[in-house]
Amino acid sequence: MQIILLVKYTLNCESMKEFYEFGLWQSSDHIASIGCGYGWWEVGLCLHYPAQHLTLVDPLVNEDDIQDSIEYFTEKTGLSWKTAFELNPENLQKKDQIWVFNAWHEFENRKEMLAKIYNGLNNGGIVIIEEEISKVERLQHDGCGKDLFFEQEIIEEFEQAGLYYVATQVKDDVAIYLKFRK
């Protein structure tokens, strides 16, 4: 069991490094993550690659959930938490990066969400979407059953909102990272 957990943690650390190299945020950056759940991915990332401030957005989560995630990962890694955080602010403002991890297909009103993202970013700010995608035929997400988008559909949606497509990076067999700039 310990070997499996160690392998799983090592693979996650490698994924975190790949994501950091794709995002390249600075320790002075203000980052938001929309649809963060308990913030495990965000906490892990900012624990290894701190930012100045992390805004987490998920109406189904409370601050104790995020604090539990921070305590869990600091205990597991031995690293110190250095990033200030807030949960569910009224608005997103002055963000250097906004992340959406495996949640784009979940939003009912993506046009409205894109407006919030656009308005929340600093000029030159970056949006990174991590999303499972359809490749040949329309697929459904295993967890929620909602339709998954084709890569080009996501790119066109973001470009129509005034964001510029920068790059795609393959994450694994089912998911990609997409980067856009305001």
Side-chain angles (χ1 to χ4, degrees):
M1 182 71 146
Q2 283 183 314
I3 292 172
I4 292 170
L5 291 175
L6 180 60
V7 169
K8 204 175 219 183
Y9 180 74
T10 303
L11 290 173
N12 284 340
C13 285
E14 189 59 34
S15 294
M16 280 189 256
K17 182 180 179 202
E18 288 174 9
F19 183 80
Y20 174 72
E21 289 172 351
F22 191 67
L24 291 175
W25 60 92
Q26 305 299 308
S27 60
S28 60
D29 280 356
H30 288 242
I31 299 170
S33 183
I34 300 171
C36 66
Y38 293 118
W40 280 39
W41 191 237
E42 295 83 353
V43 167
L45 285 164
C46 287
L47 191 57
H48 286 85
Y49 307 99
Q52 184 172 345
H53 194 272
L54 177 63
T55 300
L56 299 163
V57 180
D58 195 314
L60 303 177
V61 177
N62 65 51
E63 199 164 310
D64 288 341
D65 296 325
I66 303 302
Q67 196 59 50
D68 288 348
S69 296
I70 292 169
E71 289 171 14
Y72 174 82
F73 283 107
T74 55
E75 183 180 312
K76 290 291 180 198
T77 63
L79 298 172
S80 298
W81 181 254
K82 298 175 183 166
T83 303
F85 81 92
E86 69 179 323
L87 179 66
N88 296 325
E90 190 68 28
N91 317 320
L92 291 179
Q93 297 177 24
K94 299 181 180 181
K95 302 302 175 204
D96 299 297
Q97 288 197 15
I98 296 178
W99 302 335
V100 182
F101 291 117
N102 194 27
W104 193 246
H105 63 276
E106 298 272 355
F107 296 121
E108 296 298 325
N109 191 339
R110 289 183 312 283
K111 192 171 188 174
E112 183 180 302
M113 184 56 68
L114 277 166
K116 288 179 183 179
I117 289 170
Y118 184 88
N119 291 329
L121 279 173
N122 290 328
N123 286 332
I126 291 174
V127 180
I128 299 178
I129 303 295
E130 183 267 348
E131 186 73 9
E132 293 181 24
I133 59 165
S134 295
K135 294 180 182 175
V136 177
E137 61 183 294
R138 180 78 61 198
L139 300 174
Q140 283 74 42
H141 189 267
D142 283 339
C144 67
K146 292 188 177 184
D147 284 349
L148 296 174
F149 300 102
F150 291 94
E151 177 182 355
Q152 193 58 40
E153 289 176 310
I154 298 171
I155 292 170
E156 288 171 8
E157 214 170 17
F158 275 74
E159 288 181 332
Q160 288 172 2
L163 296 160
Y164 299 94
Y165 169 73
V166 176
T168 298
Q169 180 174 313
V170 174
K171 178 185 176 196
D172 54 34
D173 292 341
V174 296
I176 60 174
Y177 298 123
L178 293 163
K179 185 191 289 187
F180 301 89
R181 185 177 307 275
K182 179 176 178 182

